[in-house]
Amino acid sequence: MWLTRRQAAVPQRQAAGAVVAGAGAVSLARAGRTVLDRIDLPVRAGELLALLGPNGAGKSTLLALLAGDLAPDTGEVLLHGRPVGRYRPRELALHRALLPQASPLSFPFPAGEVVRMGRAPWAGLATPEQDDAAVAQALDQADAAAFADRPYPALSGGERARVALARVLAQQAPLLLLDEPTAALDLRHQELVLRTARARARAGDAVVVVLHDLGLAAAYADRLALLDRGRAAAYGTAAEVLDGELLGRVYGCPVEVLPHPRGGAGPLVLPVR
């Protein structure tokens, strides 16, 4: 059922530092295996939160819980103080935007039209001019405007990833959930994605990003949550979480954490080779 203009509450940005979403003691099991075990996690407006951990640690599952795509076995996930499962689909899409790891699409839609799909929740709430402006801005932010007219399936993996990101940005939700958005990207576009995510946070949004690159997390995230086999191993700033001994234990390999030689943002995190 579509919401009318009166029924749909256009989301408002929260004051910096306000907890807009969070997981409270959430646990989830799949096929008899505990995937998440009593996770507590606040998501604050104006901050970029990086979810870290090795493969299978539960990062993507936790992101899906925050998005409302999965329900926990125990505990609760709140969005603006309300259980995320109580939102209607379109209402939820106005409040949070999710970029999954893969965005399969076999139909030959132009890339620009794929980005425009992110405006669907705003039908009846935004003018065509506002939709056009949001799409154009998102394509520019994702560096995807140059191939907006090309069929989506004909794009390279990295180009499709940038179009998928632009679609999520065009949604203009105040909670942005990104699952490994840099995985298919070259060095330049990895940096672009994290700069864009941090800019959204600085503008007042809450941003949660699943990352494997600890250096990117150190450079761009305000807070980091480190997961280890479904449990919270650490939560805090880069200085608090990126400890060589802790990371070595969680990732199962020796890690050293070094100060940036040129005083850059965040420390350098390197495997001991």
Side-chain angles (χ1 to χ4, degrees), residues 160-246:
R160 288 197 299 270
R162 283 146 60 191
V163 171
L165 173 65
R167 177 186 57 79
V168 171
L169 295 175
Q171 197 171 329
Q172 292 185 325
L175 172 59
L176 195 60
L177 305 170
L178 309 176
D179 196 353
E180 297 189 32
T182 62
L185 300 181
D186 57 41
L187 183 62
R188 172 181 167 233
H189 289 100
Q190 289 179 18
E191 294 290 325
L192 181 146
V193 167
L194 269 297
R195 286 198 304 270
T196 299
R198 187 170 64 179
R200 286 287 296 263
R202 296 296 179 266
D205 292 334
V207 183
V208 184
V209 185
V210 173
L211 289 173
H212 279 294
D213 190 318
L214 302 182
L216 283 175
Y220 288 101
D222 298 291
R223 297 180 194 273
L224 298 81
L226 178 63
L227 301 184
D228 180 19
R229 290 171 290 184
R231 295 184 176 181
Y235 171 79
T237 64
E240 294 168 331
V241 173
L242 297 180
D243 172 79
E245 181 179 347
L246 172 62

Coordinates of all heavy atoms in Angstrom, one line a residue, residues 160-246:
R160 N 29.3 -0.6 -12.2 CA 28.0 -1.0 -11.6 C 28.0 -0.7 -10.1 O 27.0 -0.3 -9.6 CB 27.8 -2.5 -11.9 CG 27.4 -2.8 -13.3 CD 26.8 -4.2 -13.4 NE 27.7 -5.3 -12.9 CZ 28.6 -5.9 -13.7 NH1 28.7 -5.6 -15.0 NH2 29.3 -6.9 -13.2
A161 N 29.1 -0.9 -9.4 CA 29.2 -0.6 -8.0 C 28.9 0.9 -7.8 O 28.3 1.3 -6.8 CB 30.5 -1.0 -7.4
R162 N 29.5 1.7 -8.6 CA 29.3 3.2 -8.5 C 27.8 3.6 -8.8 O 27.3 4.5 -8.1 CB 30.3 3.9 -9.3 CG 31.7 4.0 -8.7 CD 32.8 3.9 -9.8 NE 32.7 5.0 -10.7 CZ 33.5 5.1 -11.8 NH1 34.3 4.1 -12.1 NH2 33.4 6.2 -12.6
V163 N 27.2 3.0 -9.7 CA 25.8 3.2 -10.0 C 24.9 2.8 -8.9 O 24.0 3.5 -8.5 CB 25.4 2.5 -11.3 CG1 23.9 2.6 -11.5 CG2 26.1 3.1 -12.5
A164 N 25.2 1.6 -8.3 CA 24.5 1.2 -7.1 C 24.6 2.1 -6.0 O 23.6 2.4 -5.2 CB 24.9 -0.2 -6.7
L165 N 25.8 2.6 -5.8 CA 26.0 3.6 -4.7 C 25.2 4.9 -5.0 O 24.6 5.5 -4.1 CB 27.5 4.0 -4.6 CG 27.8 5.1 -3.6 CD1 27.5 4.8 -2.2 CD2 29.3 5.5 -3.8
A166 N 25.2 5.3 -6.3 CA 24.5 6.5 -6.6 C 23.0 6.3 -6.4 O 22.3 7.3 -5.9 CB 24.7 6.9 -8.1
R167 N 22.5 5.1 -6.6 CA 21.0 4.9 -6.4 C 20.7 5.1 -4.9 O 19.7 5.7 -4.5 CB 20.7 3.5 -6.8 CG 19.3 3.1 -6.5 CD 19.0 1.6 -6.8 NE 19.9 0.7 -6.1 CZ 19.8 0.4 -4.8 NH1 18.8 0.9 -4.1 NH2 20.6 -0.5 -4.3
V168 N 21.6 4.6 -4.0 CA 21.4 4.7 -2.6 C 21.5 6.2 -2.2 O 20.7 6.6 -1.3 CB 22.4 3.8 -1.9 CG1 22.3 4.1 -0.4 CG2 22.1 2.3 -2.1
L169 N 22.5 6.9 -2.7 CA 22.6 8.3 -2.4 C 21.4 9.1 -2.8 O 20.9 10.0 -2.1 CB 23.9 8.9 -3.0 CG 25.2 8.3 -2.6 CD1 26.4 8.9 -3.4 CD2 25.4 8.6 -1.1
A170 N 20.8 8.8 -4.0 CA 19.7 9.5 -4.5 C 18.4 9.3 -3.6 O 17.5 10.1 -3.6 CB 19.3 9.0 -5.9
Q171 N 18.4 8.2 -2.8 CA 17.3 7.9 -1.9 C 17.2 9.0 -0.8 O 16.1 9.2 -0.2 CB 17.5 6.6 -1.3 CG 16.3 6.0 -0.7 CD 16.5 4.5 -0.3 OE1 17.2 3.8 -1.0 NE2 15.8 4.0 0.7
Q172 N 18.3 9.6 -0.5 CA 18.4 10.7 0.5 C 17.8 10.4 1.8 O 17.1 11.2 2.5 CB 17.7 12.0 -0.1 CG 18.5 12.6 -1.3 CD 17.9 13.9 -1.8 OE1 16.6 14.1 -1.8 NE2 18.7 14.8 -2.2
A173 N 18.0 9.2 2.3 CA 17.6 8.8 3.6 C 18.6 9.2 4.7 O 19.8 9.2 4.4 CB 17.4 7.3 3.7
P174 N 18.2 9.6 5.9 CA 19.2 10.1 6.9 C 20.0 9.0 7.5 O 20.9 9.3 8.3 CB 18.3 10.8 7.9 CG 16.9 10.1 7.7 CD 16.8 9.8 6.3
L175 N 19.7 7.7 7.3 CA 20.5 6.6 7.7 C 21.0 5.8 6.5 O 20.2 5.3 5.7 CB 19.7 5.7 8.7 CG 20.4 4.3 9.1 CD1 21.7 4.6 9.8 CD2 19.4 3.5 9.9
L176 N 22.3 5.8 6.3 CA 22.9 5.2 5.2 C 23.7 3.9 5.6 O 24.6 4.0 6.4 CB 23.9 6.2 4.5 CG 24.4 6.0 3.1 CD1 23.2 5.9 2.1 CD2 25.3 7.1 2.7
L177 N 23.3 2.8 5.0 CA 23.9 1.5 5.4 C 24.6 0.9 4.2 O 24.0 0.6 3.2 CB 22.9 0.5 5.9 CG 22.0 1.0 7.1 CD1 20.8 0.1 7.3 CD2 22.8 1.2 8.3
L178 N 26.0 0.8 4.2 CA 26.7 0.4 3.0 C 27.5 -0.9 3.4 O 28.3 -0.9 4.3 CB 27.7 1.5 2.7 CG 27.1 2.9 2.5 CD1 28.3 3.9 2.2 CD2 26.1 3.0 1.4
D179 N 27.3 -1.9 2.6 CA 27.9 -3.2 2.8 C 29.1 -3.4 1.8 O 28.8 -3.6 0.6 CB 26.9 -4.3 2.7 CG 27.4 -5.6 3.3 OD1 28.6 -5.7 3.7 OD2 26.6 -6.6 3.4
E180 N 30.3 -3.2 2.3 CA 31.5 -3.4 1.5 C 31.4 -2.5 0.2 O 31.6 -3.1 -0.9 CB 31.8 -4.8 1.2 CG 32.0 -5.7 2.4 CD 32.5 -7.1 2.1 OE1 33.2 -7.2 1.0 OE2 32.2 -8.0 2.8
P181 N 31.2 -1.2 0.3 CA 31.0 -0.4 -0.9 C 32.3 -0.2 -1.7 O 32.2 0.2 -2.9 CB 30.5 0.9 -0.3 CG 31.2 1.0 1.0 CD 31.1 -0.4 1.5
T182 N 33.4 -0.6 -1.2 CA 34.7 -0.4 -1.9 C 35.3 -1.6 -2.5 O 36.3 -1.6 -3.1 CB 35.8 0.2 -0.9 OG1 36.0 -0.7 0.2 CG2 35.3 1.5 -0.3
A183 N 34.5 -2.8 -2.3 CA 35.1 -4.1 -2.7 C 35.5 -4.2 -4.2 O 36.5 -4.8 -4.5 CB 34.1 -5.2 -2.4
A184 N 34.7 -3.6 -5.1 CA 35.0 -3.7 -6.5 C 35.7 -2.5 -7.1 O 35.8 -2.4 -8.3 CB 33.7 -4.0 -7.3
L185 N 36.1 -1.6 -6.3 CA 36.6 -0.3 -6.7 C 38.1 -0.2 -6.7 O 38.8 -0.8 -5.9 CB 36.0 0.8 -5.9 CG 34.5 0.9 -5.9 CD1 34.0 2.0 -5.0 CD2 33.9 1.0 -7.3
D186 N 38.6 0.7 -7.6 CA 40.0 1.0 -7.7 C 40.4 2.0 -6.5 O 39.5 2.4 -5.8 CB 40.4 1.6 -9.0 CG 39.6 2.8 -9.4 OD1 39.4 3.7 -8.5 OD2 39.3 2.9 -10.6
L187 N 41.6 2.3 -6.4 CA 42.1 3.1 -5.3 C 41.4 4.4 -5.2 O 41.0 4.9 -4.2 CB 43.6 3.2 -5.4 CG 44.3 4.0 -4.2 CD1 44.1 3.3 -2.9 CD2 45.8 4.1 -4.5
R188 N 41.4 5.1 -6.4 CA 40.8 6.4 -6.4 C 39.3 6.4 -6.0 O 38.9 7.2 -5.2 CB 40.9 7.0 -7.8 CG 40.1 8.3 -8.0 CD 40.2 8.8 -9.4 NE 39.2 9.9 -9.7 CZ 38.3 9.9 -10.6 NH1 38.3 8.9 -11.5 NH2 37.5 10.9 -10.8
H189 N 38.6 5.4 -6.4 CA 37.1 5.4 -6.1 C 36.9 4.8 -4.7 O 35.8 5.2 -4.1 CB 36.4 4.6 -7.2 CG 36.3 5.4 -8.5 ND1 37.1 5.1 -9.6 CD2 35.5 6.4 -8.9 CE1 36.9 5.9 -10.6 NE2 35.9 6.7 -10.2
Q190 N 37.8 4.1 -4.2 CA 37.6 3.7 -2.8 C 37.7 5.0 -1.9 O 36.9 5.1 -1.0 CB 38.8 2.8 -2.4 CG 38.6 1.4 -2.9 CD 39.8 0.5 -2.5 OE1 40.5 0.8 -1.5 NE2 40.0 -0.6 -3.2
E191 N 38.6 5.8 -2.2 CA 38.7 7.1 -1.4 C 37.5 8.0 -1.7 O 37.0 8.6 -0.7 CB 40.0 7.8 -1.9 CG 41.3 7.1 -1.5 CD 41.6 7.1 0.0 OE1 41.2 8.1 0.7 OE2 42.1 6.1 0.5
L192 N 37.0 8.0 -2.9 CA 35.9 8.8 -3.2 C 34.6 8.4 -2.4 O 33.9 9.2 -1.9 CB 35.6 8.8 -4.7 CG 34.4 9.6 -5.3 CD1 34.7 10.1 -6.7 CD2 33.1 8.8 -5.3
V193 N 34.4 7.1 -2.4 CA 33.3 6.5 -1.6 C 33.4 6.9 -0.2 O 32.4 7.4 0.4 CB 33.2 5.0 -1.8 CG1 32.2 4.4 -0.8 CG2 32.8 4.6 -3.2
L194 N 34.5 6.7 0.5 CA 34.6 7.1 1.9 C 34.5 8.6 2.1 O 34.0 9.0 3.1 CB 35.9 6.5 2.5 CG 35.8 5.1 3.0 CD1 34.9 5.1 4.2 CD2 35.3 4.1 2.0
R195 N 35.1 9.4 1.2 CA 34.9 10.8 1.4 C 33.5 11.2 1.3 O 33.0 12.1 2.0 CB 35.7 11.6 0.3 CG 37.2 11.6 0.5 CD 37.9 12.7 -0.3 NE 37.6 12.6 -1.7 CZ 38.3 11.9 -2.6 NH1 39.4 11.2 -2.2 NH2 38.0 11.8 -3.9
T196 N 32.7 10.6 0.3 CA 31.3 10.9 0.2 C 30.5 10.4 1.4 O 29.7 11.2 1.9 CB 30.8 10.2 -1.1 OG1 31.5 10.6 -2.2 CG2 29.3 10.4 -1.2
A197 N 30.9 9.3 1.9 CA 30.2 8.8 3.1 C 30.4 9.7 4.3 O 29.5 10.0 5.1 CB 30.6 7.4 3.5
R198 N 31.7 10.2 4.5 CA 32.0 11.0 5.6 C 31.3 12.4 5.4 O 30.8 13.0 6.4 CB 33.5 11.2 5.7 CG 33.9 12.0 6.9 CD 35.4 12.0 7.2 NE 36.1 12.6 6.1 CZ 37.5 12.8 6.1 NH1 38.2 12.3 7.1 NH2 38.1 13.3 5.1
A199 N 31.2 12.9 4.1 CA 30.5 14.1 3.9 C 29.0 14.0 4.3 O 28.5 15.0 4.8 CB 30.7 14.5 2.4
R200 N 28.4 12.9 4.0 CA 27.0 12.7 4.4 C 26.9 12.7 5.9 O 26.0 13.3 6.5 CB 26.5 11.3 3.8 CG 26.2 11.3 2.3 CD 25.0 12.1 2.0 NE 23.8 11.5 2.6 CZ 23.0 10.7 1.9 NH1 23.2 10.4 0.6 NH2 21.9 10.2 2.5
A201 N 27.9 12.1 6.6 CA 27.8 12.2 8.1 C 28.0 13.6 8.6 O 27.3 14.0 9.5 CB 28.9 11.2 8.6
R202 N 28.9 14.3 8.0 CA 29.2 15.7 8.4 C 27.9 16.6 8.2 O 27.8 17.6 8.8 CB 30.4 16.3 7.7 CG 31.7 15.6 8.0 CD 32.1 15.7 9.5 NE 33.3 15.0 9.8 CZ 33.4 13.8 10.3 NH1 32.3 13.1 10.5 NH2 34.5 13.2 10.5
A203 N 27.1 16.2 7.2 CA 25.9 16.9 6.9 C 24.8 16.6 7.8 O 23.7 17.1 7.7 CB 25.5 16.7 5.4
G204 N 25.0 15.6 8.7 CA 24.0 15.2 9.7 C 23.4 13.8 9.6 O 22.6 13.4 10.5
D205 N 23.8 13.1 8.6 CA 23.3 11.7 8.5 C 24.0 10.8 9.4 O 25.1 11.1 9.8 CB 23.4 11.3 7.0 CG 22.5 12.0 6.1 OD1 21.5 12.5 6.5 OD2 22.8 12.1 4.9
A206 N 23.5 9.6 9.6 CA 24.1 8.5 10.3 C 24.6 7.5 9.2 O 23.8 7.1 8.4 CB 23.2 7.9 11.3
V207 N 25.8 7.2 9.2 CA 26.4 6.3 8.1 C 27.1 5.1 8.8 O 27.9 5.2 9.7 CB 27.4 7.1 7.3 CG1 27.9 6.2 6.1 CG2 26.8 8.3 6.7
V208 N 26.7 3.9 8.3 CA 27.3 2.7 8.8 C 27.9 2.0 7.6 O 27.2 1.7 6.6 CB 26.3 1.7 9.5 CG1 27.0 0.5 10.0 CG2 25.6 2.5 10.6
V209 N 29.2 1.6 7.6 CA 29.9 1.0 6.5 C 30.6 -0.2 6.9 O 31.4 -0.2 7.9 CB 30.9 2.0 5.9 CG1 31.6 1.4 4.6 CG2 30.3 3.4 5.6
V210 N 30.4 -1.3 6.2 CA 31.1 -2.6 6.4 C 32.4 -2.4 5.6 O 32.4 -2.2 4.4 CB 30.3 -3.8 6.0 CG1 31.2 -5.0 6.1 CG2 29.1 -4.0 6.9
L211 N 33.5 -2.6 6.2 CA 34.8 -2.5 5.6 C 35.8 -3.6 5.9 O 35.7 -4.1 7.1 CB 35.5 -1.2 5.9 CG 34.9 0.1 5.4 CD1 35.6 1.3 6.0 CD2 35.0 0.2 3.9
H212 N 36.6 -4.0 5.0 CA 37.7 -4.9 5.2 C 39.0 -4.2 5.3 O 40.0 -4.7 5.9 CB 37.8 -6.0 4.2 CG 36.8 -7.1 4.4 ND1 36.8 -8.0 5.4 CD2 35.7 -7.5 3.6 CE1 35.9 -8.8 5.4 NE2 35.2 -8.6 4.3
D213 N 39.1 -3.0 4.7 CA 40.3 -2.2 4.7 C 40.4 -1.5 6.0 O 39.7 -0.4 6.2 CB 40.4 -1.3 3.5 CG 41.7 -0.6 3.3 OD1 42.3 -0.2 4.3 OD2 42.1 -0.5 2.1
L214 N 41.3 -1.9 6.9 CA 41.4 -1.3 8.2 C 42.0 0.1 8.1 O 41.7 1.0 8.9 CB 42.2 -2.1 9.1 CG 41.7 -3.5 9.4 CD1 42.6 -4.3 10.4 CD2 40.3 -3.5 9.9
G215 N 42.8 0.3 7.1 CA 43.4 1.7 6.8 C 42.3 2.7 6.5 O 42.4 3.8 6.9
L216 N 41.4 2.3 5.6 CA 40.3 3.2 5.2 C 39.5 3.5 6.5 O 39.0 4.6 6.7 CB 39.4 2.6 4.2 CG 40.0 2.6 2.7 CD1 39.0 1.8 1.8 CD2 40.1 4.1 2.2
A217 N 39.2 2.5 7.3 CA 38.4 2.7 8.5 C 39.1 3.7 9.4 O 38.5 4.6 10.0 CB 38.1 1.4 9.2
A218 N 40.4 3.5 9.6 CA 41.1 4.4 10.5 C 41.1 5.8 10.0 O 41.1 6.8 10.8 CB 42.6 3.9 10.6
A219 N 41.2 6.0 8.7 CA 41.2 7.3 8.1 C 39.9 8.1 8.1 O 39.9 9.3 8.2 CB 41.8 7.3 6.7
Y220 N 38.8 7.4 7.9 CA 37.5 8.0 7.7 C 36.5 7.9 8.8 O 35.6 8.7 8.9 CB 37.0 7.6 6.4 CG 37.7 8.1 5.2 CD1 38.6 7.3 4.5 CD2 37.5 9.4 4.7 CE1 39.3 7.8 3.4 CE2 38.2 9.9 3.6 CZ 39.1 9.1 3.0 OH 39.8 9.6 1.9
A221 N 36.5 6.8 9.5 CA 35.4 6.5 10.5 C 35.6 7.3 11.8 O 36.7 7.5 12.3 CB 35.4 5.0 10.8
D222 N 34.5 7.7 12.3 CA 34.5 8.4 13.6 C 34.5 7.3 14.7 O 35.2 7.5 15.8 CB 33.2 9.2 13.8 CG 33.1 10.3 12.8 OD1 33.9 11.3 12.9 OD2 32.2 10.3 11.9
R223 N 33.8 6.2 14.5 CA 33.9 5.1 15.5 C 34.0 3.8 14.7 O 33.5 3.7 13.6 CB 32.6 5.1 16.4 CG 32.5 6.3 17.3 CD 31.3 6.3 18.1 NE 31.0 7.6 18.7 CZ 31.5 8.0 19.9 NH1 32.3 7.2 20.6 NH2 31.2 9.2 20.4
L224 N 34.5 2.8 15.4 CA 34.7 1.5 14.8 C 34.1 0.4 15.7 O 34.2 0.5 16.9 CB 36.1 1.2 14.5 CG 36.9 2.1 13.6 CD1 37.4 3.3 14.3 CD2 38.1 1.3 13.0
A225 N 33.4 -0.6 15.1 CA 32.9 -1.7 15.9 C 33.6 -3.0 15.3 O 33.5 -3.2 14.1 CB 31.4 -1.8 15.8
L226 N 34.3 -3.7 16.1 CA 35.1 -4.9 15.7 C 34.3 -6.1 16.1 O 34.1 -6.3 17.3 CB 36.5 -4.8 16.3 CG 37.4 -6.0 15.9 CD1 37.7 -6.1 14.4 CD2 38.7 -5.9 16.7
L227 N 33.9 -6.9 15.2 CA 33.2 -8.2 15.5 C 34.1 -9.4 15.4 O 35.0 -9.4 14.5 CB 32.0 -8.4 14.5 CG 31.0 -7.3 14.5 CD1 29.8 -7.7 13.6 CD2 30.4 -7.0 15.9
D228 N 33.9 -10.3 16.2 CA 34.7 -11.6 16.2 C 33.8 -12.7 16.5 O 33.3 -12.9 17.6 CB 35.8 -11.5 17.3 CG 36.7 -12.7 17.3 OD1 36.7 -13.5 16.4 OD2 37.3 -12.9 18.4
R229 N 33.5 -13.5 15.4 CA 32.7 -14.7 15.5 C 31.3 -14.4 16.2 O 30.8 -15.1 17.0 CB 33.4 -15.8 16.3 CG 34.5 -16.4 15.5 CD 35.4 -17.4 16.3 NE 36.1 -16.6 17.3 CZ 37.0 -17.2 18.2 NH1 37.2 -18.5 18.1 NH2 37.7 -16.5 19.0
G230 N 30.7 -13.3 15.7 CA 29.4 -12.9 16.1 C 29.3 -12.1 17.4 O 28.2 -11.7 17.8
R231 N 30.5 -11.8 18.0 CA 30.5 -11.1 19.3 C 31.2 -9.8 19.1 O 32.1 -9.6 18.2 CB 31.2 -11.9 20.4 CG 30.4 -13.2 20.7 CD 31.0 -13.9 21.9 NE 30.2 -15.0 22.3 CZ 30.6 -15.8 23.4 NH1 31.7 -15.6 24.1 NH2 29.8 -16.9 23.7
A232 N 30.9 -8.8 19.9 CA 31.6 -7.5 19.9 C 33.0 -7.6 20.6 O 33.0 -7.9 21.8 CB 30.7 -6.5 20.6
A233 N 34.0 -7.4 19.8 CA 35.4 -7.5 20.4 C 35.8 -6.1 20.9 O 36.6 -6.1 21.8 CB 36.4 -8.1 19.3
A234 N 35.4 -5.1 20.2 CA 35.7 -3.7 20.6 C 34.8 -2.7 19.9 O 34.3 -3.0 18.8 CB 37.2 -3.4 20.2
Y235 N 34.7 -1.6 20.6 CA 33.9 -0.5 20.0 C 34.5 0.8 20.5 O 34.8 1.0 21.7 CB 32.4 -0.6 20.4 CG 31.6 0.7 20.1 CD1 31.1 0.8 18.8 CD2 31.3 1.6 21.0 CE1 30.4 2.0 18.5 CE2 30.6 2.8 20.7 CZ 30.1 2.9 19.4 OH 29.4 4.0 19.1
G236 N 34.7 1.8 19.6 CA 35.2 3.1 20.0 C 35.9 3.8 18.8 O 35.6 3.5 17.7
T237 N 36.8 4.7 19.2 CA 37.6 5.4 18.1 C 38.6 4.5 17.6 O 38.9 3.4 18.1 CB 38.2 6.6 18.7 OG1 39.2 6.2 19.7 CG2 37.2 7.5 19.4
A238 N 39.3 5.0 16.5 CA 40.4 4.2 15.9 C 41.5 3.9 16.9 O 42.0 2.8 17.0 CB 40.9 4.9 14.7
A239 N 41.8 4.9 17.7 CA 42.9 4.8 18.7 C 42.5 3.7 19.7 O 43.4 3.0 20.3 CB 43.1 6.1 19.4
E240 N 41.2 3.5 20.0 CA 40.8 2.6 21.0 C 40.6 1.2 20.5 O 40.8 0.2 21.2 CB 39.4 3.0 21.6 CG 39.5 4.3 22.4 CD 38.2 4.9 22.7 OE1 37.2 4.7 21.9 OE2 38.1 5.6 23.7
V241 N 40.3 1.1 19.2 CA 40.0 -0.3 18.6 C 41.1 -0.9 17.9 O 41.4 -2.1 17.9 CB 38.8 -0.1 17.6 CG1 38.5 -1.5 16.9 CG2 37.5 0.3 18.4
L242 N 41.9 0.0 17.2 CA 43.0 -0.6 16.3 C 44.2 -0.8 17.1 O 45.2 -0.1 17.1 CB 43.3 0.4 15.2 CG 42.1 0.6 14.2 CD1 42.4 1.5 13.1 CD2 41.6 -0.7 13.7
D243 N 44.2 -1.9 17.9 CA 45.3 -2.3 18.7 C 45.9 -3.6 18.0 O 45.2 -4.5 17.7 CB 44.8 -2.7 20.1 CG 45.9 -3.3 21.0 OD1 46.7 -2.6 21.5 OD2 45.8 -4.6 21.1
G244 N 47.2 -3.6 17.9 CA 47.9 -4.7 17.1 C 47.6 -6.0 17.7 O 47.3 -7.0 17.0
E245 N 47.7 -6.2 19.1 CA 47.5 -7.5 19.7 C 46.0 -7.9 19.5 O 45.8 -9.1 19.2 CB 47.8 -7.3 21.2 CG 47.7 -8.7 21.9 CD 48.0 -8.5 23.4 OE1 48.6 -7.5 23.8 OE2 47.7 -9.4 24.2
L246 N 45.1 -7.0 19.7 CA 43.7 -7.4 19.5 C 43.4 -7.8 18.1 O 42.7 -8.8 17.9 CB 42.8 -6.2 19.9 CG 41.3 -6.3 19.7 CD1 40.7 -7.5 20.4 CD2 40.6 -5.0 20.0

